Amino acid sequence: MNYQKFYQASIQEPETFWAEQARLIDWKVPYTQVLDHSKPPFAKWFVGGETNLCYNAVDRWLETQADKAALIAISTETNSEKTYSFAELHTEVQRMAAIMLSLGVKQGDRVLIYMPMIAEAAFAMLACARIGAVHSVVFGGFASKSLATRIDDAKPVLVVSADAGMRGGKAVPYKPLLDEAIALAEYQPQHVLLVNRGLDAMKLQQGRDVDYASARAQHMDAQVPVTWLESNAMSYVLYTSGTTGKPKGVQRDVGGYAVALASSMKNIFCGNPGETYFATSDIGWVVGHSYIVYGPLIAGMATIMYEGTPIRPDAGIWWSIVEKYKVTRMFSAPTAIRVLKKHPPELMRKYDLSSLKSLFLAGEPLDETTSSWIAEELGVPIIDNYWQTETGWPILSVARGVEAKATRLGSPGVAMYGYNVHIINEATGEECGPNEKGVVAIKGPLPPGCMQTVYGDDQRFVQTYWSNFAHEQLYSTFDWGIRDADGYYFILGRTDDVINVAGHRLGTREIEESISSHPEISEVAVVGVEDKLKGQVAVAFAILKHPALAETPEGSKALEAAVMAVVDKQLGAVARPARVHFVGMLPKTRSGKLLRRSIQAICEGRDAGDLTTIEDPSSLQQIKAALSH
């Protein structure tokens, strides 16, 4: 089929187009209206239809492939591997659902999941979906303060967690962080369900904490029927860093998301029932939701859930998994490939990778060197794709399930069906011409699977995403981009203060607030600086209350370590800045606005740009001097 025609049909006749895609999932009750866009920018898809994510991911495969692999849980940290068939997954999910119901979880209640990459985390997500509860997964690397803000916003009746995760051979205790987060939070969850992996001693709090193994033993024969939900009911809330300190809860529906995932698995990822899919992400991020847990299972594929690093026990570990489980489609991030590139290629070449048909990469811009190297090593298509937590599935890529369209180095591809993508001039609000830099924006309605709103805050949804252009209500991705004459897009970085460290989105304001809580810091600016390995790293410039503390190299070093420790404790190691530099003043406009883009440009060795509004040009010299030390 011609992709251009396919795409045009999705834009010009969205209702007919998406009605066709909706046949890829099972509905209990047929929908009465494909799209309700009567209150833009809010869009409701498949109105009146009733379905269930867990049913589409698990139950509907019981007739045709009950004994086929569904979930393959691998931990190179604990040297364990276990495969669950669709029938076994169905059984475990019902046990988990029965535990949740026994702990008082009802339809519409929130359940916060703070877990390592273990099978029970997938059981918990699917169990929530089964009973109509709303899950909110928080990345296991987040520290107590970040976790507390999410507890207060989501107000979960239940938290599901574990004693510890493991990384690089070391246990990472979760329970102490969770206990501290609950102590910090104003809202108090009724129960905490804990998986004890035997990695870290746990003290259970009487009346609140429940041991998963004991609870599971009481529900071994549980049969929990599916709760059928109206298509626009909430399926989950996933928090994403914003430009303010308060994280935004991306709220997603049930029916639109199921259709978008089923459709993308067929048209973009080319996955077939009975095959194996391996996404190397984490369930704490959107890739883990869409393409570790829900997408592959909805497509009838086995999905691999991996706890470990790409280089332990050695840099061949992922490829040994590809060989052993005959992985057909793999999804990773450019950072991981750059890490592997530093290791001997023989570690990859010694495995039989003939099952692998393509490698998808996303999370941060893919550079040509990395793309060319891995393409040559694997001998399969390397397919870049670009999207966001907010959209849930790719905005830009190539849909090889529709047409074998060529990829283009440095470009994530063309607009995916359903996304009416434009490049808009930030100043004028006009459409940019070919190869003109502008903001990547999408004309509403957003296609199925995208966020419904910001959880509990419709106004913030409209204000944040849909109010950035003068002439028209368009969704802003907050990314700069260009489109060439052939319709291929190139992403050039953020327009706001969110940075991308190895595929993890971090708000610079969150990091600034954390650093500012150190008693010696009077003011701070954090910027994202280009990094060859991680894509970007956070770099901080801070003004001290007592500058004499950093006058000696020893004093400066000790203070930098202390500031980093504060960020570690409050936000987790993922948010730790690569450097904290101490300066006497920060570059600002005469109206007091921080010139973050100028600071970033200096850090990256670029021209600092238009400085006509700067209050004191010597502040830039201080930034340069700090960087030279």
Side-chain angles (χ1 to χ4, degrees), residues 481-495:
I482 57 171
R483 180 179 53 228
D484 68 15
D486 301 322
Y488 284 81
Y489 289 79
F490 296 79
I491 302 298
L492 307 173
R494 297 290 290 179
T495 65

Side-chain angles (χ1 to χ4, degrees), residues 426-448:
E426 192 184 33
T428 66
E430 304 294 328
E431 180 98 23
C432 294
N435 300 309
E436 277 179 24
K437 179 182 169 181
V439 181
V440 181
I442 303 165
K443 205 172 267 195
L446 292 178

Side-chain angles (χ1 to χ4, degrees), residues 126-164:
L126 290 160
C128 287
R130 187 172 197 83
I131 63 175
V134 175
H135 63 64
S136 185
V137 183
V138 177
F139 175 59
F142 276 163
S144 303
K145 192 179 174 194
S146 296
L147 188 51
T149 61
R150 287 152 174 81
I151 289 170
D152 279 336
D153 196 66
K155 299 183 171 47
V157 296
L158 171 69
V159 177
V160 186
S161 191
D163 58 339

Side-chain angles (χ1 to χ4, degrees), residues 49-114:
E50 289 184 15
T51 188
N52 183 286
L53 276 169
C54 180
Y55 182 88
N56 277 284
V58 185
D59 301 57
R60 72 170 176 156
W61 298 109
L62 295 176
E63 267 183 51
T64 53
Q65 46 194 64
D67 299 330
K68 290 254 179 84
L71 178 68
I72 301 162
I74 301 171
S75 172
T76 51
E77 299 290 350
T78 58
N79 293 316
S80 60
E81 283 185 36
K82 179 152 188 193
T83 298
Y84 296 85
S85 66
F86 277 95
E88 288 165 335
L89 180 59
H90 183 243
T91 300
E92 289 295 349
V93 169
Q94 289 186 95
R95 289 168 180 161
M96 180 70 85
I99 296 169
M100 288 182 178
L101 292 170
S102 75
L103 294 174
V105 178
K106 302 184 297 297
Q107 183 179 332
D109 282 347
R110 273 80 56 216
V111 173
L112 189 135
I113 298 171
Y114 181 64

Side-chain angles (χ1 to χ4, degrees), residues 1 8 13 95 103 119 136 157 214 219 285 298 304 317 342 353 355 364 424 437 439 468 510 538 542 599 604 622 625:
M1 191 196 287
Q8 284 307 330
E13 298 167 37
R95 289 168 180 161
L103 294 174
S136 185
V157 296
S214 311
H219 297 282
W285 310 122
I298 286 172
I304 290 173
I317 181 60
K342 294 181 169 183
L353 306 181
S355 64
E364 74 254 26
I424 303 294
K437 179 182 169 181
V439 181
N468 296 286
E510 262 184 289
I599 299 172
E604 294 179 351
Q622 292 210 23

Side-chain angles (χ1 to χ4, degrees), residues 456-535:
D457 200 340
D458 287 352
Q459 195 181 344
R460 192 176 179 195
F461 175 63
V462 177
Q463 195 61 43
T464 302
Y465 295 102
W466 295 91
S467 307
N468 296 286
F469 304 104
H471 306 314
E472 201 177 349
Q473 192 179 54
L474 297 168
Y475 171 90
S476 176
T477 63
F478 299 103
D479 278 308
W480 296 112
I482 57 171
R483 180 179 53 228
D484 68 15
D486 301 322
Y488 284 81
Y489 289 79
F490 296 79
I491 302 298
L492 307 173
R494 297 290 290 179
T495 65
D496 66 1
D497 301 321
V498 171
I499 61 174
N500 197 326
V501 181
H504 301 167
R505 277 181 63 180
L506 303 168
T508 54
R509 290 282 284 277
E510 262 184 289
I511 303 171
E512 284 172 358
E513 284 179 18
S514 178
I515 291 172
S516 294
S517 71
H518 187 285
E520 281 301 332
I521 305 294
S522 69
E523 204 177 344
V524 63
V526 173
V527 295
V529 178
E530 198 175 339
D531 180 83
K532 281 192 166 64
L533 182 63
K534 295 183 175 178

